[in-house]
Amino acid sequence: MTDAFAELAFLLVIAAVAGAIAVRLKQPLLIAYIVVGIAVGPAGFALVTSHDQIEVLAQVGVAVLLFVVGLKLDLTRVRDIGPVALATGLGQLAFTIVFGFLLILALGKGLVEALYVAVALTFSSTIIIVKLLSDKGELDSLHGRIAIGFLIVQDIAVVLAMMAMSALGTGVDASVWSVAIALTGRITAAAVLMFVLMRYVLPDLLHRIARSQELLLIFAIAWGTGLAALGEWVGFSKEAGAFLAGFSLASTAYREVISARLTGIRDFLLLFFFIHLGAELDLTTLGAEVWPAVWLSLFVLIGNPLIVMAIMGGMGYRKRTGFLAGLTVAQISEFSIVFVAMGISLGHVGVEALGLTTLVGLITITLSTYMILYSHPLYRTLAPLLGVFERRRPYRELAAESPVSDEEQPEVLVIGLGRYGLRLARRLGEEGLQVIGVDCDPDVVRRLSETGLSVRFGDGHDAAFLDSLPMDGLRWVISTLPDLDSNRVLLYALAERRFAGEIAVVARDDAQGAQLWQIGAPVILYPFRDAVDFAADNIMAIMRRRSQAD
């Protein structure tokens, strides 16, 4: 193909087909895009020659990605990062860099390449983790919120690492002091500039621009790419400049609107980054990187979760919370690849480092996706071995537990106090029923306990925990747990205890309802369908009343 437009159209068609296959296999799309790049590039069938155009789109995609990351780092959220998120994030970063660096040196790599790859191994994919946790309904769970917390720490760390490496320039032999002084000076200058812009320029400017949604979007892209270019010109990197551009808008009232409108553009442009990455890979050099990639992948898949579990266990969290949070760092991210690619552009490392990092990314992202999707059965299998990661008294989670009084004789047990479960528990209480709720988030338990609702902290599908509940007088057990496997375990535990009351389970849709029916759920609730039916009945009743009045 010689026409650039036709080549881009061809790439989009191939990427759409590969993406559909990846979704079917429950894999992140970036893996499909890298494979497409390898297939259409020189290492594959050499179907695409418009490399310059694709590279420009790839660079804009990276700038938009870092801009969106900076946009989400609101100053209030940074201040609210809990001690566990900060300790876990910094601890995991230090562990992975130190031991990863030593492991890479042992695999025969040079000092600078070992440093770059070790730093790259520390970053986990915020995009992938948020998507997986959101799909599982665990984004607001305790382990989900802790994971998001230390992913924010990683996002900040990756930008600082990019600034540090860009401060080296092409002089990789520069002293530590000269790099530190240069980095400190640039960060100070950037901080002063950001303060002036955020305090005196951007609020009024955005207020005027926001009168037009289209202009607001164009301004956001122009601001992100403009500061990216400026960052590279003054000695930072394009990535650091784009991040600072996003961060400068993060505390404004328009950040959510900008972020929402940029998400689709970001995903579209990143397609070209990963295709370009795949096309640039030299498969002839990857053969020597296979075994190093395997060893480093095992290090990331096993070592990163273990250090998170150790830190969280030491801070007083249960082994289950530490395990589920730890799985979210069992892969490297798109930032890892961007970081090493930046090292190539600075002349610090060769393409071999990028090939090694990409291989580790392909392996760890693929495997960790399934580890997170099947985290609960995986935990039950490994739970007997994880006792070393839990204190005898996990005080942080125990602090949220409140015993049920002897006089309390609940009639209904609601497991899972999200929006639907909490509303259901309160509504049943208003009807005169004695209701007790169960949730695995200690903050939710503490907050609801202060409102007077009878609530317990724990895992509703944990058989041992069920024994601590007043089951004898219960007439109903209602589960709002989001995943099929947890409900299966709950039903089995209740059957083992010969629970004689009624059991109801919430289903998101008819397909999930059919699966719940197959595993023995006697009553299935459909919140969305029931809400639509209720709304439709109300609308029809209003229409009938008005027609009669006319």
Side-chain angles (χ1 to χ4, degrees):
M1 292 187 181
T2 56
D3 182 74
F5 182 84
E7 287 189 357
L8 292 179
F10 171 74
L11 276 178
L12 291 175
V13 172
I14 297 299
V17 173
I21 296 173
V23 169
R24 180 69 176 174
L25 298 175
K26 297 183 178 180
Q27 284 298 310
L29 293 179
L30 67 90
I31 292 179
Y33 298 156
I34 293 174
V35 172
V36 169
I38 294 173
V40 302
F45 300 102
L47 299 176
V48 174
T49 57
S50 303
H51 300 295
D52 293 339
Q53 293 89 334
I54 294 174
E55 183 177 5
V56 171
L57 290 172
Q59 291 178 356
V60 176
V62 171
V64 173
L65 171 65
L66 270 296
F67 178 81
V68 173
V69 171
L71 197 63
K72 292 182 179 295
L73 284 182
D74 187 358
L75 284 173
T76 57
R77 292 184 62 190
V78 174
R79 286 196 299 265
D80 291 339
I81 294 175
V84 63
L86 189 61
T88 306
L90 295 178
Q92 182 261 323
L93 287 170
F95 170 85
T96 306
I97 290 175
V98 172
F99 288 95
F101 178 74
L102 296 176
L103 177 59
I104 297 165
L105 287 179
L107 292 172
K109 304 299 180 181
L111 286 174
V112 177
E113 182 178 354
L115 179 60
Y116 260 94
V117 177
V119 172
L121 296 182
T122 64
F123 308 133
S124 304
S125 177
T126 303
I127 297 172
I128 295 174
I129 298 306
V130 170
K131 179 68 166 61
L132 291 173
L133 292 178
S134 178
D135 290 346
K136 294 184 67 181
E138 297 179 358
L139 203 56
D140 293 324
S141 65
L142 177 60
H143 68 270
R145 290 190 295 109
I146 292 174
I148 297 303
F150 57 66
L151 286 173
I152 291 176
V153 175
Q154 289 185 359
D155 288 341
I156 296 173
V158 69
V159 176
L160 293 177
M162 287 178 174
M163 289 181 175
M165 291 306 184
S166 63
L168 283 170
T170 57
V172 295
D173 295 326
S175 68
V176 174
W177 283 110
S178 63
V179 172
I181 293 172
L183 181 59
T184 302
R186 292 176 184 180
I187 291 178
T188 302
V192 171
L193 176 62
M194 288 298 104
F195 175 78
V196 172
L197 290 172
M198 294 167 68
R199 184 69 179 270
Y200 300 107
V201 179
L202 291 173
D204 184 63
L205 179 62
L206 278 176
H207 180 70
R208 296 175 184 274
I209 291 176
R211 295 171 183 172
S212 169
Q213 293 291 309
E214 292 80 5
L215 180 59
L216 182 63
L217 177 63
I218 296 300
F219 169 78
I221 298 175
W223 183 248
T225 53
L227 281 196
L230 178 63
E232 187 176 36
W233 181 70
V234 299
F236 280 132
S237 62
K238 291 190 295 291
E239 295 81 5
F243 173 85
L244 291 176
F247 183 73
S248 67
L249 304 181
S251 298
T252 68
Y254 307 101
R255 73 185 189 101
E256 296 297 343
V257 175
I258 296 172
S259 178
R261 302 200 69 177
L262 279 178
T263 299
I265 297 174
R266 176 202 66 191
D267 294 342
F268 173 72
L269 291 172
L270 280 179
L271 155 71
F272 294 101
F273 169 75
F274 291 115
I275 289 177
H276 177 67
L277 171 67
E280 292 293 305
L281 288 178
D282 185 358
L283 296 183
T284 60
T285 66
L286 293 185
E289 308 296 342
V290 171
W291 280 112
V294 170
W295 285 111
L296 293 179
S297 297
L298 290 174
F299 172 70
V300 171
L301 289 165
I302 299 174
N304 280 355
L306 287 180
I307 189 62
V308 169
M309 291 171 62
I311 294 172
M312 291 185 62
M315 295 187 70
Y317 287 89
R318 295 187 189 277
K319 59 184 180 181
R320 180 180 180 273
T321 305
F323 178 81
L324 296 178
L327 290 184
T328 62
V329 294
Q331 93 285 119
I332 66 172
S333 78
E334 62 278 7
F335 288 124
S336 306
I337 299 170
V338 171
F339 178 71
V340 177
M342 186 193 74
I344 294 177
S345 66
L346 293 172
H348 295 171
V349 293
V351 293
E352 296 81 6
L354 182 61
L356 175 59
T357 306
T358 304
L359 281 177
V360 175
L362 292 173
I363 296 171
T364 56
I365 291 172
T366 301
L367 295 180
S368 68
T369 297
Y370 289 106
M371 290 165 64
I372 294 172
L373 288 174
Y374 299 102
S375 57
H376 296 289
L378 187 60
Y379 169 74
R380 285 194 298 276
T381 301
L382 299 176
L385 305 176
L386 302 179
V388 67
F389 297 105
E390 182 177 287
R391 286 189 172 196
R392 182 171 299 177
R393 187 177 183 277
Y395 63 92
R396 283 188 183 270
E397 296 193 28
L398 287 174
E401 297 184 4
S402 54
V404 178
S405 64
D406 295 335
E407 295 80 15
E408 192 174 18
Q409 293 296 329
E411 301 169 274
V412 181
L413 170 65
V414 179
I415 300 174
L417 297 176
R419 285 176 295 180
Y420 181 79
L422 178 58
R423 175 68 176 172
L424 181 62
R426 285 178 169 165
R427 188 71 184 87
L428 292 173
E430 291 171 359
E431 293 296 326
L433 295 173
Q434 293 294 322
V435 181
I436 181 172
V438 172
D439 200 272
C440 62
D441 188 334
D443 292 336
V444 170
V445 172
R446 188 178 300 111
R447 186 178 69 251
L448 294 180
S449 297
E450 293 172 353
T451 66
L453 183 67
S454 178
V455 58
R456 294 287 302 276
F457 171 82
D459 296 324
H461 64 271
D462 186 338
F465 174 72
L466 289 177
D467 290 334
S468 69
L469 297 174
M471 303 289 292
D472 293 339
L474 281 179
R475 295 164 55 188
W476 278 88
V477 171
I478 304 173
S479 168
T480 68
L481 298 174
D483 60 294
L484 181 70
D485 196 66
S486 294
N487 284 303
R488 180 187 289 110
V489 174
L490 173 64
L491 292 171
Y492 178 76
L494 291 172
E496 267 195 333
R497 283 149 184 77
R498 294 181 172 83
F499 176 66
E502 300 290 344
I503 304 171
V505 183
V506 171
R508 289 192 301 270
D509 49 39
D510 291 337
Q512 190 183 50
Q515 292 177 318
L516 290 170
W517 181 262
Q518 289 177 355
I519 65 174
V523 178
I524 302 174
L525 307 176
Y526 295 91
F528 299 111
R529 189 174 70 186
D530 293 344
V532 170
D533 292 344
F534 180 78
D537 290 342
N538 274 347
I539 292 171
M540 292 303 299
I542 293 171
M543 292 176 65
R544 283 193 293 268
R545 286 198 301 269
R546 290 184 175 176
S547 62
Q548 291 172 0
D550 294 338

